[in-house]
Amino acid sequence: MIDINKYNQYQQTINQTIAVSGIGLHSGEETKIKLVPAEPNHGIKFIRTDKKDNNVIEAIWSNVSETVLSTTISNNHGVKVSTIEHLMSALSGLHID
């Protein structure tokens, strides 16, 4: 969940695209993530680029589908993204919404 800063009425995003790659914690496979600045009122969304259809998952509490050993969010089509809790915590701490 994003903490709302009652003293700052403006939304915040990142300044530029950030790309990171590494080995997936649970999968052991090569993993890449790209953080892209968003337009106002966009919210945080995960986009699975390995899927062609129905690949967008909104990072909202109602999309949390599992919390055993990590946090998983999924959309209505069963597309999932796991182990998002540390990234979401960092974004919340920086008031990036």
Side-chain angles (χ1 to χ4, degrees):
M1 179 185 296
I2 300 296
D3 182 31
I4 298 172
N5 182 348
K6 64 184 176 183
Y7 302 109
N8 183 356
Q9 298 300 314
Y10 301 104
Q11 298 176 14
Q12 298 184 110
T13 189
I14 56 177
N15 189 28
Q16 60 188 4
T17 298
I18 303 165
V20 180
S21 64
I23 303 300
L25 178 64
H26 298 290
S27 69
E29 297 179 11
E30 172 97 16
T31 305
K32 297 177 185 178
I33 186 170
K34 184 171 25 172
L35 305 175
V36 180
E39 296 297 320
N41 300 313
H42 185 268
I44 297 172
K45 295 182 173 73
F46 287 84
I47 302 171
R48 291 273 308 264
T49 58
D50 61 326
K51 306 284 185 189
K52 294 199 187 268
D53 297 315
N54 305 309
N55 61 348
V56 178
I57 308 163
E58 288 186 81
I60 55 176
W61 70 268
S62 58
N63 282 342
V64 174
S65 56
E66 190 174 332
T67 58
V68 176
L69 300 178
S70 68
T71 302
T72 299
I73 57 174
S74 58
N75 64 18
N76 292 334
H77 303 280
V79 178
K80 299 178 180 183
V81 177
S82 297
T83 319
I84 64 164
E85 60 273 9
H86 292 269
L87 174 61
M88 293 302 296
S89 178
L91 294 175
S92 178
L94 294 169
H95 297 283
I96 295 172
D97 54 7

